[in-house]
Amino acid sequence: GAVVSQHPSWVICKSGTSVKIECRSLDFQATTMFWYRQFPKQSLMLMATSNEGSKATYEQGVEKDKFLINHASLTLSTLTVTSAHPEDSSFYICSALQGDQGNQPQHFGDGTRLSIL
Amino acid sequence: EDKVVQSPLSLVVHEGDTVTLNCSYEVTNFRSLLWYKQEKKAPTFLFMLTSSGIEKKSGRLSSILDKKELSSILNITATQTGDSAIYLCAAYGAGSYQLTFGKGTKLSVIP
């Protein structure tokens, strides 16, 4: 149980395009999902917390107009990297919280490797 | 500011060895500590520890929390090459469902 699917797993695109990444909880409902970014040999950096039916909460230094988050249902959150540039190239990972806040682990998707040319 | 520190940052062992990975935390109103294993993709959940002194075990992996020392250890016995990964420690604080992650311990198991 507690499977999180993230799609696509790998994207290469030209500078200036927008890229949408989907995160789905397959066998549970997730009121809260999280988006992380991971640079090579670094730990996970939380970008934003996504709550179903409300606006996402962004961490300090993360541009909300650049990284659009939509959590329209209890099983789907999307992250759109708008007008992507080479510095946006990174590994993006989502997670979903199963159960009550903090009483259950976050379960992670397999990540999306984004490369902007 | 909440902080999670792992040590060592990297470790190389031979197959069959036993390893102990360390995690210490400074988290306001600490609630629980989690261990994850990250290979090439995203982290997979290993353990969640809430109570001090109670060991959690899964096969060759075990973990225990010491709330007095604000720390946890992850033990792996009879290591195999498939155990090679980055092991991440993370903590929940009360009133927050956000995880604070450590930088991870990179474990390399050589045949």
Side-chain angles (χ1 to χ4, degrees):
Chain A
V3 178
V4 176
S5 171
Q6 190 173 337
H7 178 81
S9 56
W10 190 44
V11 179
I12 300 177
C13 60
K14 291 182 180 179
S15 186
T17 56
S18 293
V19 178
K20 182 189 274 192
I21 303 169
E22 291 187 350
C23 180
R24 293 180 187 273
S25 56
L26 296 186
D27 52 0
F28 66 99
Q29 291 187 330
T31 308
T32 307
M33 292 184 173
F34 303 87
W35 288 96
Y36 294 85
R37 185 171 178 176
Q38 188 175 35
F39 293 101
K41 298 183 182 179
Q42 300 281 322
S43 191
L44 282 74
M45 182 190 81
L46 179 66
M47 297 174 66
T49 302
S50 169
N51 295 295
E52 188 265 338
S54 64
K55 289 184 180 179
T57 304
Y58 289 83
E59 294 301 298
Q60 197 173 7
V62 178
E63 298 174 59
K64 54 183 169 185
D65 295 331
K66 174 78 170 171
F67 298 100
L68 299 178
I69 291 172
N70 186 296
H71 193 157
S73 78
L74 285 172
T75 57
L76 174 65
S77 175
T78 60
L79 168 68
T80 302
V81 184
T82 61
S83 188
H85 291 284
E87 58 267 27
D88 299 323
S89 298
S90 192
F91 190 52
Y92 293 88
I93 311 173
C94 74
S95 72
L97 188 61
Q98 181 186 19
D100 294 329
Q101 299 173 5
N103 293 327
Q104 295 290 331
Q106 291 181 22
H107 294 279
F108 288 84
D110 278 343
T112 297
R113 193 159 300 282
L114 177 63
S115 297
I116 309 297
L117 304 176
Chain B
E1 188 184 328
D2 292 343
K3 195 164 60 168
V4 173
V5 177
Q6 293 185 246
S7 64
L9 291 180
S10 67
L11 191 54
V12 180
V13 300
H14 287 96
E15 265 192 316
D17 288 350
T18 293
V19 297
T20 298
L21 309 183
N22 301 289
C23 176
S24 64
Y25 59 89
E26 289 176 26
V27 173
T28 305
N29 296 323
F30 169 84
R31 192 159 37 176
S32 52
L33 186 139
L34 294 85
W35 285 96
Y36 289 88
K37 177 183 181 182
Q38 185 175 23
E39 297 174 84
K40 289 180 183 176
K41 294 186 177 180
T44 54
F45 171 70
L46 295 175
F47 298 111
M48 182 169 177
L49 305 160
T50 306
S51 302
S52 206
I54 298 174
E55 186 185 55
K56 291 215 171 177
K57 207 169 164 70
S58 176
R60 295 176 294 102
L61 277 68
S62 64
S63 184
I64 196 161
L65 177 66
D66 185 338
K67 284 187 175 179
K68 206 171 175 181
E69 297 295 326
L70 306 183
S71 65
S72 173
I73 58 170
L74 175 69
N75 278 322
I76 308 174
T77 59
T79 51
Q80 301 171 357
T81 54
D83 295 326
S84 296
I86 296 173
Y87 290 84
L88 294 168
C89 174
Y92 278 129
S96 167
Y97 41 72
Q98 294 179 353
L99 283 171
T100 301
F101 277 90
K103 289 188 175 179
T105 293
K106 184 177 179 182
L107 174 65
S108 300
V109 182
I110 54 178

